[in-house]
Amino acid sequence: MTTVRLTVNGAAISRDVENRTLLVELLRDQLSLTGTHVGCDTSQCGCCTVLVDGAPTKSCTMLAVQAENASVTTVEGLARGEAMHPIQQAFVDCHGLQCGFCTPGMMMAAAGLLAKNTQPTDEEIVQAIEGNLCRCTGYVNIIAAIKQAAGTMAAEAKGGRS
């Protein structure tokens, strides 16, 4: 067992884990953050995407011990108290989800993109989510949701509302 210390959704945590424990297992099984999904276990689907130090990371292929001293944000960490984050709201407004299984990973990939690029083009959005598979929506509404979220976040940054 190894003690891993990290910050998850703004809270400092310390947990004893086996060296082979995946980050997704720590999040889901020990921290009960079940918004991070396990789809393929091979990093192909992106359902397990979280932000590690701000970068979209597939948590099914990262060991928990590799996250030592890192800051991890899950889809649960996007919300602002009881209010949804603009990305979450945009996925609802734009029907960017159907079954919802890929949605947390898509949202976290979008969060990583929008943290670096506040006005992405459609091509940049497609590139940012290319490692996340959706079998339901065809991506059109997902791209629209990310564009809406970008607009809302830009308006908020300027002190206004969209």
Side-chain angles (χ1 to χ4, degrees):
M1 298 293 272
T2 300
T3 301
V4 63
R5 292 168 194 80
L6 62 155
T7 301
V8 178
N9 297 333
I13 66 132
S14 176
R15 292 291 189 279
D16 291 329
V17 298
E18 292 184 30
N19 289 336
R20 65 182 182 190
T21 300
L22 298 172
L23 180 57
V24 71
E25 294 168 337
L26 171 66
L27 296 171
R28 290 181 59 82
D29 301 340
Q30 291 195 31
L31 302 178
S32 299
L33 296 170
T34 57
T36 303
H37 293 159
V38 178
C40 65
D41 284 327
T42 62
S43 81
Q44 299 299 310
C45 73
C47 292
C48 66
T49 302
V50 297
L51 299 181
V52 177
D53 293 332
T57 304
K58 294 179 180 177
S59 62
C60 76
T61 57
M62 181 177 191
L63 296 171
V65 295
Q66 291 176 291
E68 177 74 20
N69 298 319
S71 177
V72 176
T73 305
T74 69
V75 71
E76 292 93 343
L78 286 181
R80 301 167 171 175
E82 295 297 315
M84 285 192 278
H85 186 279
I87 294 170
Q88 294 168 316
Q89 187 62 56
F91 269 73
V92 172
D93 294 347
C94 296
H95 308 287
L97 56 113
Q98 286 184 8
C99 81
F101 198 78
C102 73
T103 304
M106 288 286 189
M107 287 182 182
M108 298 315 294
L113 168 67
L114 297 179
K116 293 189 307 187
N117 183 349
T118 59
Q119 296 180 324
T121 64
D122 286 2
E123 179 59 36
E124 290 167 328
I125 293 170
V126 168
Q127 187 175 23
I129 64 171
E130 72 182 358
N132 297 70
L133 299 177
C134 176
R135 305 226 186 261
C136 301
T137 68
Y139 302 95
V140 172
N141 293 347
I142 293 169
I143 293 167
I146 296 169
K147 288 173 74 171
Q148 177 181 308
T152 301
M153 292 167 69
E156 287 178 355
K158 292 179 182 177
R161 295 178 63 145
S162 67

